[in-house]
């Protein structure tokens, strides 16, 4: 279980005193998550999710919480972060910043084409909304991070991996960075979306969000929501995703043209971040470190098929 900080009933009752959300009934740890501690908190009014931030400093968090409030108020499928009676998002629990969120009813689903279409349209609506959001924060894992991390890791890579990484970096160097941009989720894999059947109940975990190319957010989704039975990217499903996104936020031709190369960027980013996690984190019971090899394979496939992918997008 990914509960790094245990809380007692007295701890929960103490924090509930800051809200008008009802009296304590129960709480239990949530097993999902690798960085933060999460609890279900039940009161006589409703069920909520309490998040304790194990790594983020308090000054980092207001951007993400204001973004969540903006998106929720704009009727996007994003859980509401609750403010205290004093109007604050953050409270301190055991010397760690914490927030109470709306508990979204739903579960993580293995993506079907129907789920992907729904998500694509929701993502377009989110991008239209973030264009009206005043908060500013660079995307923490954008192209600069990739180039810096590649230099850090390259000496320890096998020759074949080093050649693959060099090829990916050459591809990324050709991407037009003047494309439309705004705040993106940047980590919208299917385990960050909750569904009730075919209804998208909520998009969660916005802690990589920042300003970058909107088309990059699409590319991140493609390498998880549009996989075929062999585990590789299904280009026809990708084209379908892009078409449904386009129906809610019209893409410029230059954005569509850039998506194949941005798919390489997305796969490379997760290959490198997972490789760093494996290198820097000893195994811990109940904490899963995702395999970087899956994203390395997707990086190679995205490079090999980007011309074909571009042709499919152009003709779709």
């Amino acid at each position: 279980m990914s509960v790094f900080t245990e809380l007692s009933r007295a701890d929960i009752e103490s924090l509930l005193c800051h809200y008008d959300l009802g009296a304590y009934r129960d709480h239990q740890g949530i097993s999902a998550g690798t960085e933060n501690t999460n609890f279900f908190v039940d009161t006589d009014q409703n069920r909520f999710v309490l998040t304790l931030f194990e790594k983020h400093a308090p000054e980092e968090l207001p951007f993400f919480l204001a973004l969540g409030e903006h998106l929720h108020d704009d009727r996007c499928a994003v859980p509401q972060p609750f403010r205290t009676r004093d109007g604050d998002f953050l409270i301190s629990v055991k010397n760690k910043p914490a927030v109470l969120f709306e508990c979204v009813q739903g579960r993580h689903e293995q993506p079907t084409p129907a789920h992907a279409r729904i998500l694509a349209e929701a993502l377009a609506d989110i991008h239209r909304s973030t264009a009206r959001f005043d908060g500013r924060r660079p995307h923490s894992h954008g192209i600069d991070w990739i180039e810096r991390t590649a230099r850090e890791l390259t000496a320890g890579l096998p020759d074949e991996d080093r050649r693959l990484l060099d090829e990916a970096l050459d591809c990324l160097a050709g991407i037009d960075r003047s494309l439309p941009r705004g705040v993106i989720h940047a980590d919208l894999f299917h385990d960050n979306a909750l569904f009730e059947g075919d209804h998208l109940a909520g998009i969660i975990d916005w802690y990589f969000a920042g300003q970058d190319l909107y088309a990059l957010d699409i590319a991140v989704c493609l390498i998880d929501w549009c996989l075929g039975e062999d585990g590789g990217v299904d280009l026809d499903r990708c084209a379908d995703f892009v078409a449904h996104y386009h129906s809610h936020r019209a893409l410029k031709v230059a954005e569509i043209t850039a998506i194949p190369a941005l798919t390489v960027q997305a796969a490379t980013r997760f290959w490198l971040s997972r490789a760093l996690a494996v290198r820097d984190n000893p195994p811990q019971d109940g904490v899963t470190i995702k395999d970087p090899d899956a994203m390395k394979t997707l990086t190679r496939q995205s490079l090999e098929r980007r011309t074909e992918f571009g042709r499919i997008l152009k003709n779709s």
Side-chain angles (χ1 to χ4, degrees):
M1 178 181 292
S2 300
V3 173
F4 306 102
T5 301
E6 296 289 348
L7 297 182
S8 67
R9 172 173 179 161
D11 294 324
I12 303 294
E13 288 180 326
S14 177
L15 74 89
L16 284 173
C17 290
H18 296 278
Y19 298 88
D20 293 314
L21 297 174
Y24 175 90
R25 287 292 179 266
D26 194 14
H27 76 285
Q28 63 186 80
I30 301 174
S31 60
T34 59
E35 289 194 350
N36 300 319
T37 293
N38 296 285
F39 290 91
F40 289 124
V41 174
D42 295 309
T43 75
D44 58 3
Q45 291 186 13
N46 216 328
R47 165 168 278 194
F48 305 94
V49 172
L50 172 66
T51 297
L52 273 70
F53 297 94
E54 302 287 349
K55 296 183 179 180
H56 287 89
E59 59 270 17
E60 296 180 82
L61 295 168
F63 169 86
F64 303 117
L65 300 172
L67 173 63
E69 184 178 66
H70 168 86
L71 291 170
H72 177 270
D73 290 349
D74 213 15
R75 300 185 180 277
C76 295
V78 176
Q80 177 184 2
F82 288 99
R83 293 179 182 264
T84 67
R85 291 194 191 99
D86 295 330
D88 300 320
F89 284 122
L90 291 172
I91 57 175
S92 180
V93 179
K94 292 196 171 180
N95 297 317
K96 295 177 181 178
V99 178
L100 274 175
F101 288 94
E102 172 189 8
C103 182
V104 176
Q105 299 299 317
R107 62 182 191 172
H108 307 299
E109 298 281 3
Q110 195 61 36
T112 65
H115 290 131
R117 294 180 192 115
I118 293 166
L119 192 281
E121 294 173 1
L123 182 64
D125 291 340
I126 284 169
H127 288 167
R128 291 173 60 196
S129 180
T130 64
R132 301 186 296 274
F133 177 62
D134 293 334
R136 295 290 180 267
R137 182 180 189 273
H139 173 208
S140 60
H141 286 61
I143 186 62
D144 292 341
W145 180 91
I146 290 173
E147 292 172 345
R148 184 171 64 253
T149 305
R151 291 192 295 270
E152 179 182 347
L153 289 176
T154 189
L157 294 177
D159 289 345
E160 181 181 355
D161 289 358
R162 192 157 48 241
R163 287 192 294 270
L164 174 62
L165 183 54
D166 287 344
E167 185 179 353
L169 292 173
D170 286 344
C171 172
L172 304 191
I175 295 173
D176 180 1
R177 300 291 166 182
S178 69
L179 296 173
R181 62 173 47 232
V183 177
I184 67 172
H185 185 286
D187 190 30
L188 190 41
F189 282 21
H190 72 274
D191 56 0
N192 283 332
L194 296 166
F195 279 85
E196 284 188 300
D198 284 339
H199 168 68
L200 177 62
I203 294 172
I204 60 174
D205 285 354
W206 287 83
Y207 306 114
F208 287 106
Q211 289 173 296
D212 211 322
L213 306 182
Y214 286 128
L216 176 60
D217 229 10
I218 297 172
V220 170
C221 294
L222 298 183
I223 62 171
D224 184 70
W225 292 83
C226 298
L227 302 182
E229 293 183 1
D230 62 354
V233 171
D234 183 317
L235 298 184
D236 289 329
R237 287 182 63 175
C238 288
D240 189 48
F241 186 102
V242 172
H244 279 266
Y245 178 101
H246 181 71
S247 70
H248 279 232
R249 174 187 167 265
L251 288 159
K252 296 180 179 296
V253 172
E255 290 181 279
I256 296 173
T257 301
I259 285 174
L262 287 167
T263 305
V264 176
Q265 177 174 335
T268 303
R269 171 260 194 265
F270 287 99
W271 171 25
L272 295 179
S273 61
R274 292 180 183 184
L276 274 181
V278 169
R279 187 195 70 178
D280 296 341
N281 295 282
Q284 301 178 56
D285 290 341
V287 178
T288 301
I289 302 296
K290 294 181 178 179
D291 181 9
D293 285 347
M295 285 297 153
K296 179 175 68 177
T297 298
L298 284 176
T299 299
R300 180 182 298 109
Q301 291 176 346
S302 297
L303 279 165
E304 292 172 348
R305 303 184 68 189
R306 66 187 188 276
T307 300
E308 179 187 1
F309 187 18
R311 184 169 59 252
I312 289 173
L313 287 176
K314 182 179 179 180
N315 294 330
S316 63

